PDB file of all heavy atoms in Angstrom:
ATOM      1  N   LEU J  21      -9.414   8.788   5.465  1.00 95.00           N
ATOM      2  CA  LEU J  21     -10.387   9.851   5.686  1.00 95.00           C
ATOM      3  C   LEU J  21     -10.222  10.989   4.684  1.00 95.00           C
ATOM      4  O   LEU J  21     -11.208  11.568   4.211  1.00 95.00           O
ATOM      5  CB  LEU J  21     -10.238  10.411   7.109  1.00 95.00           C
ATOM      6  CG  LEU J  21     -10.433   9.418   8.268  1.00 95.00           C
ATOM      7  CD1 LEU J  21     -10.191  10.122   9.593  1.00 95.00           C
ATOM      8  CD2 LEU J  21     -11.821   8.799   8.236  1.00 95.00           C
ATOM      9  N   LEU J  26      -8.571   7.349  -3.411  1.00 95.00           N
ATOM     10  CA  LEU J  26      -7.207   6.939  -3.741  1.00 95.00           C
ATOM     11  C   LEU J  26      -6.893   5.585  -3.116  1.00 95.00           C
ATOM     12  O   LEU J  26      -6.363   4.673  -3.782  1.00 95.00           O
ATOM     13  CB  LEU J  26      -6.216   8.000  -3.246  1.00 95.00           C
ATOM     14  CG  LEU J  26      -4.727   7.714  -3.468  1.00 95.00           C
ATOM     15  CD1 LEU J  26      -4.421   7.598  -4.952  1.00 95.00           C
ATOM     16  CD2 LEU J  26      -3.888   8.825  -2.836  1.00 95.00           C
ATOM     17  N   ALA J  64     -10.122   5.423  16.044  1.00 97.00           N
ATOM     18  CA  ALA J  64     -11.305   4.645  15.667  1.00 97.00           C
ATOM     19  C   ALA J  64     -11.786   5.012  14.266  1.00 97.00           C
ATOM     20  O   ALA J  64     -12.088   4.135  13.440  1.00 97.00           O
ATOM     21  CB  ALA J  64     -12.417   4.861  16.689  1.00 97.00           C
ATOM     22  N   ASN J  67      -9.288   3.663  11.410  1.00 97.00           N
ATOM     23  CA  ASN J  67      -9.297   2.212  11.247  1.00 97.00           C
ATOM     24  C   ASN J  67     -10.638   1.711  10.718  1.00 97.00           C
ATOM     25  O   ASN J  67     -10.679   0.822   9.856  1.00 97.00           O
ATOM     26  CB  ASN J  67      -8.941   1.534  12.566  1.00 97.00           C
ATOM     27  CG  ASN J  67      -7.457   1.590  12.865  1.00 97.00           C
ATOM     28  OD1 ASN J  67      -6.673   0.789  12.366  1.00 97.00           O
ATOM     29  ND2 ASN J  67      -7.049   2.563  13.678  1.00 97.00           N
ATOM     30  N   ARG J 113      -1.102  -3.471  25.113  1.00 97.00           N
ATOM     31  CA  ARG J 113      -2.247  -4.298  24.717  1.00 97.00           C
ATOM     32  C   ARG J 113      -3.488  -3.422  24.521  1.00 97.00           C
ATOM     33  O   ARG J 113      -4.293  -3.650  23.615  1.00 97.00           O
ATOM     34  CB  ARG J 113      -2.493  -5.376  25.769  1.00 97.00           C
ATOM     35  CG  ARG J 113      -3.540  -6.400  25.355  1.00 97.00           C
ATOM     36  CD  ARG J 113      -3.501  -7.641  26.231  1.00 97.00           C
ATOM     37  NE  ARG J 113      -3.861  -7.343  27.610  1.00 97.00           N
ATOM     38  CZ  ARG J 113      -2.998  -7.322  28.628  1.00 97.00           C
ATOM     39  NH1 ARG J 113      -1.711  -7.558  28.418  1.00 97.00           N
ATOM     40  NH2 ARG J 113      -3.414  -7.055  29.860  1.00 97.00           N
ATOM     41  N   GLU J 141       6.281  -7.623  22.347  1.00 95.00           N
ATOM     42  CA  GLU J 141       5.258  -6.710  21.847  1.00 95.00           C
ATOM     43  C   GLU J 141       4.231  -7.450  21.007  1.00 95.00           C
ATOM     44  O   GLU J 141       3.015  -7.200  21.109  1.00 95.00           O
ATOM     45  CB  GLU J 141       5.902  -5.586  21.032  1.00 95.00           C
ATOM     46  CG  GLU J 141       4.880  -4.540  20.576  1.00 95.00           C
ATOM     47  CD  GLU J 141       5.497  -3.467  19.705  1.00 95.00           C
ATOM     48  OE1 GLU J 141       6.636  -3.645  19.258  1.00 95.00           O
ATOM     49  OE2 GLU J 141       4.815  -2.452  19.454  1.00 95.00           O
ATOM     50  N   PRO J 157      -9.649 -14.982  13.041  1.00 97.00           N
ATOM     51  CA  PRO J 157      -8.319 -15.558  12.803  1.00 97.00           C
ATOM     52  C   PRO J 157      -7.232 -14.495  12.867  1.00 97.00           C
ATOM     53  O   PRO J 157      -7.456 -13.339  12.476  1.00 97.00           O
ATOM     54  CB  PRO J 157      -8.421 -16.142  11.395  1.00 97.00           C
ATOM     55  CG  PRO J 157      -9.886 -16.311  11.153  1.00 97.00           C
ATOM     56  CD  PRO J 157     -10.557 -15.200  11.893  1.00 97.00           C
ATOM     57  N   TRP J 186       1.668 -19.312  21.811  1.00 95.00           N
ATOM     58  CA  TRP J 186       0.707 -18.257  22.122  1.00 95.00           C
ATOM     59  C   TRP J 186      -0.600 -18.405  21.357  1.00 95.00           C
ATOM     60  O   TRP J 186      -1.525 -17.634  21.576  1.00 95.00           O
ATOM     61  CB  TRP J 186       1.328 -16.889  21.844  1.00 95.00           C
ATOM     62  CG  TRP J 186       2.503 -16.586  22.738  1.00 95.00           C
ATOM     63  CD1 TRP J 186       2.735 -17.108  23.981  1.00 95.00           C
ATOM     64  CD2 TRP J 186       3.590 -15.713  22.456  1.00 95.00           C
ATOM     65  NE1 TRP J 186       3.910 -16.610  24.502  1.00 95.00           N
ATOM     66  CE2 TRP J 186       4.460 -15.748  23.585  1.00 95.00           C
ATOM     67  CE3 TRP J 186       3.936 -14.897  21.379  1.00 95.00           C
ATOM     68  CZ2 TRP J 186       5.636 -15.002  23.654  1.00 95.00           C
ATOM     69  CZ3 TRP J 186       5.108 -14.162  21.446  1.00 95.00           C
ATOM     70  CH2 TRP J 186       5.937 -14.215  22.567  1.00 95.00           C
ATOM     71  N   ASN J 222       9.646  -8.498   1.039  1.00 86.00           N
ATOM     72  CA  ASN J 222       9.754  -7.323   0.183  1.00 86.00           C
ATOM     73  C   ASN J 222      10.098  -7.741  -1.236  1.00 86.00           C
ATOM     74  O   ASN J 222      10.590  -8.857  -1.471  1.00 86.00           O
ATOM     75  CB  ASN J 222      10.857  -6.388   0.685  1.00 86.00           C
ATOM     76  CG  ASN J 222      10.433  -5.574   1.890  1.00 86.00           C
ATOM     77  OD1 ASN J 222       9.276  -5.575   2.286  1.00 86.00           O
ATOM     78  ND2 ASN J 222      11.387  -4.881   2.486  1.00 86.00           N
ATOM     79  N   VAL J 229      17.496   5.246  -6.478  1.00 46.00           N
ATOM     80  CA  VAL J 229      17.592   5.520  -7.912  1.00 46.00           C
ATOM     81  C   VAL J 229      16.910   6.859  -8.173  1.00 46.00           C
ATOM     82  O   VAL J 229      15.695   6.995  -8.020  1.00 46.00           O
ATOM     83  CB  VAL J 229      16.909   4.415  -8.747  1.00 46.00           C
ATOM     84  CG1 VAL J 229      17.017   4.755 -10.243  1.00 46.00           C
ATOM     85  CG2 VAL J 229      17.530   3.060  -8.456  1.00 46.00           C
ATOM     86  N   LYS J 255       1.771 -21.526   3.443  1.00 93.00           N
ATOM     87  CA  LYS J 255       0.425 -21.750   2.950  1.00 93.00           C
ATOM     88  C   LYS J 255      -0.242 -20.445   2.513  1.00 93.00           C
ATOM     89  O   LYS J 255      -1.225 -20.463   1.797  1.00 93.00           O
ATOM     90  CB  LYS J 255      -0.434 -22.404   4.042  1.00 93.00           C
ATOM     91  CG  LYS J 255       0.079 -23.752   4.492  1.00 93.00           C
ATOM     92  CD  LYS J 255       0.073 -24.759   3.357  1.00 93.00           C
ATOM     93  CE  LYS J 255       0.514 -26.132   3.857  1.00 93.00           C
ATOM     94  NZ  LYS J 255       0.627 -27.101   2.744  1.00 93.00           N
ATOM     95  N   VAL J 277      -1.411 -22.590 -11.172  1.00 64.00           N
ATOM     96  CA  VAL J 277      -0.916 -23.843 -11.736  1.00 64.00           C
ATOM     97  C   VAL J 277      -0.651 -24.847 -10.631  1.00 64.00           C
ATOM     98  O   VAL J 277      -1.074 -26.005 -10.683  1.00 64.00           O
ATOM     99  CB  VAL J 277       0.371 -23.587 -12.549  1.00 64.00           C
ATOM    100  CG1 VAL J 277       1.005 -24.894 -12.972  1.00 64.00           C
ATOM    101  CG2 VAL J 277       0.061 -22.734 -13.765  1.00 64.00           C
ATOM    102  N   ALA J 349      21.516 -48.723 -30.077  1.00 96.00           N
ATOM    103  CA  ALA J 349      20.399 -49.302 -29.328  1.00 96.00           C
ATOM    104  C   ALA J 349      20.288 -50.801 -29.602  1.00 96.00           C
ATOM    105  O   ALA J 349      20.024 -51.594 -28.689  1.00 96.00           O
ATOM    106  CB  ALA J 349      19.102 -48.594 -29.698  1.00 96.00           C
ATOM    107  N   MET J 372      17.778 -33.730 -30.507  1.00 94.00           N
ATOM    108  CA  MET J 372      16.490 -34.308 -30.854  1.00 94.00           C
ATOM    109  C   MET J 372      15.690 -34.546 -29.576  1.00 94.00           C
ATOM    110  O   MET J 372      16.239 -34.920 -28.541  1.00 94.00           O
ATOM    111  CB  MET J 372      16.697 -35.629 -31.606  1.00 94.00           C
ATOM    112  CG  MET J 372      15.401 -36.280 -32.078  1.00 94.00           C
ATOM    113  SD  MET J 372      15.689 -37.778 -33.044  1.00 94.00           S
ATOM    114  CE  MET J 372      16.372 -37.090 -34.557  1.00 94.00           C
ATOM    115  N   HIS J 416       6.149 -45.544 -21.670  1.00 97.00           N
ATOM    116  CA  HIS J 416       5.672 -45.775 -20.305  1.00 97.00           C
ATOM    117  C   HIS J 416       6.669 -45.423 -19.212  1.00 97.00           C
ATOM    118  O   HIS J 416       6.256 -45.172 -18.083  1.00 97.00           O
ATOM    119  CB  HIS J 416       5.260 -47.241 -20.134  1.00 97.00           C
ATOM    120  CG  HIS J 416       4.135 -47.649 -21.029  1.00 97.00           C
ATOM    121  ND1 HIS J 416       2.879 -47.081 -20.965  1.00 97.00           N
ATOM    122  CD2 HIS J 416       4.079 -48.570 -22.035  1.00 97.00           C
ATOM    123  CE1 HIS J 416       2.091 -47.627 -21.883  1.00 97.00           C
ATOM    124  NE2 HIS J 416       2.790 -48.527 -22.541  1.00 97.00           N
ATOM    125  N   VAL J 470       5.502 -45.358 -15.555  1.00 98.00           N
ATOM    126  CA  VAL J 470       6.353 -45.730 -14.426  1.00 98.00           C
ATOM    127  C   VAL J 470       7.094 -44.451 -14.047  1.00 98.00           C
ATOM    128  O   VAL J 470       7.853 -43.912 -14.848  1.00 98.00           O
ATOM    129  CB  VAL J 470       7.335 -46.853 -14.801  1.00 98.00           C
ATOM    130  CG1 VAL J 470       8.229 -47.210 -13.614  1.00 98.00           C
ATOM    131  CG2 VAL J 470       6.563 -48.084 -15.270  1.00 98.00           C
ATOM    132  N   ARG J 516      20.934 -44.217   3.875  1.00 95.00           N
ATOM    133  CA  ARG J 516      20.489 -44.433   5.257  1.00 95.00           C
ATOM    134  C   ARG J 516      19.503 -43.339   5.683  1.00 95.00           C
ATOM    135  O   ARG J 516      18.613 -43.588   6.495  1.00 95.00           O
ATOM    136  CB  ARG J 516      21.685 -44.431   6.207  1.00 95.00           C
ATOM    137  CG  ARG J 516      22.709 -45.528   6.020  1.00 95.00           C
ATOM    138  CD  ARG J 516      22.202 -46.925   6.364  1.00 95.00           C
ATOM    139  NE  ARG J 516      21.402 -47.503   5.289  1.00 95.00           N
ATOM    140  CZ  ARG J 516      21.917 -47.994   4.149  1.00 95.00           C
ATOM    141  NH1 ARG J 516      23.220 -47.982   3.961  1.00 95.00           N
ATOM    142  NH2 ARG J 516      21.128 -48.491   3.229  1.00 95.00           N
ATOM    143  N   VAL J 525      16.106 -47.501  -5.896  1.00 97.00           N
ATOM    144  CA  VAL J 525      17.105 -46.521  -6.318  1.00 97.00           C
ATOM    145  C   VAL J 525      18.034 -47.164  -7.336  1.00 97.00           C
ATOM    146  O   VAL J 525      18.553 -48.263  -7.118  1.00 97.00           O
ATOM    147  CB  VAL J 525      17.914 -46.000  -5.116  1.00 97.00           C
ATOM    148  CG1 VAL J 525      19.051 -45.085  -5.587  1.00 97.00           C
ATOM    149  CG2 VAL J 525      17.006 -45.239  -4.151  1.00 97.00           C
ATOM    150  N   LEU J 541      33.880 -33.262 -15.051  1.00 86.00           N
ATOM    151  CA  LEU J 541      32.761 -33.693 -14.219  1.00 86.00           C
ATOM    152  C   LEU J 541      32.877 -33.117 -12.806  1.00 86.00           C
ATOM    153  O   LEU J 541      31.886 -32.709 -12.204  1.00 86.00           O
ATOM    154  CB  LEU J 541      32.693 -35.221 -14.150  1.00 86.00           C
ATOM    155  CG  LEU J 541      32.275 -35.936 -15.437  1.00 86.00           C
ATOM    156  CD1 LEU J 541      32.399 -37.446 -15.252  1.00 86.00           C
ATOM    157  CD2 LEU J 541      30.845 -35.573 -15.800  1.00 86.00           C
ATOM    158  N   GLU J 567      44.967 -44.893 -23.840  1.00 94.00           N
ATOM    159  CA  GLU J 567      44.388 -46.220 -23.665  1.00 94.00           C
ATOM    160  C   GLU J 567      44.362 -46.620 -22.197  1.00 94.00           C
ATOM    161  O   GLU J 567      43.381 -47.215 -21.709  1.00 94.00           O
ATOM    162  CB  GLU J 567      45.179 -47.256 -24.475  1.00 94.00           C
ATOM    163  CG  GLU J 567      45.042 -47.114 -25.986  1.00 94.00           C
ATOM    164  CD  GLU J 567      45.809 -45.917 -26.537  1.00 94.00           C
ATOM    165  OE1 GLU J 567      46.734 -45.402 -25.835  1.00 94.00           O
ATOM    166  OE2 GLU J 567      45.498 -45.469 -27.657  1.00 94.00           O
ATOM    167  N   ALA J 575      37.718 -49.530 -15.175  1.00 95.00           N
ATOM    168  CA  ALA J 575      37.971 -50.240 -13.914  1.00 95.00           C
ATOM    169  C   ALA J 575      37.291 -49.538 -12.745  1.00 95.00           C
ATOM    170  O   ALA J 575      36.693 -50.188 -11.877  1.00 95.00           O
ATOM    171  CB  ALA J 575      39.479 -50.339 -13.672  1.00 95.00           C
ATOM    172  N   ALA J 610      30.165 -58.118 -14.305  1.00 56.00           N
ATOM    173  CA  ALA J 610      28.946 -58.213 -13.498  1.00 56.00           C
ATOM    174  C   ALA J 610      27.941 -59.176 -14.101  1.00 56.00           C
ATOM    175  O   ALA J 610      27.121 -59.741 -13.399  1.00 56.00           O
ATOM    176  CB  ALA J 610      28.312 -56.839 -13.357  1.00 56.00           C
TER     177      ALA J 610
END
Side-chain angles (χ1 to χ4, degrees):
L21 300 178
L26 178 62
N67 283 278
R113 188 165 65 252
E141 184 183 13
W186 296 335
N222 283 352
V229 179
K255 299 298 183 185
V277 172
M372 183 177 289
H416 298 298
V470 179
R516 296 292 80 75
V525 174
L541 290 174
E567 291 73 19

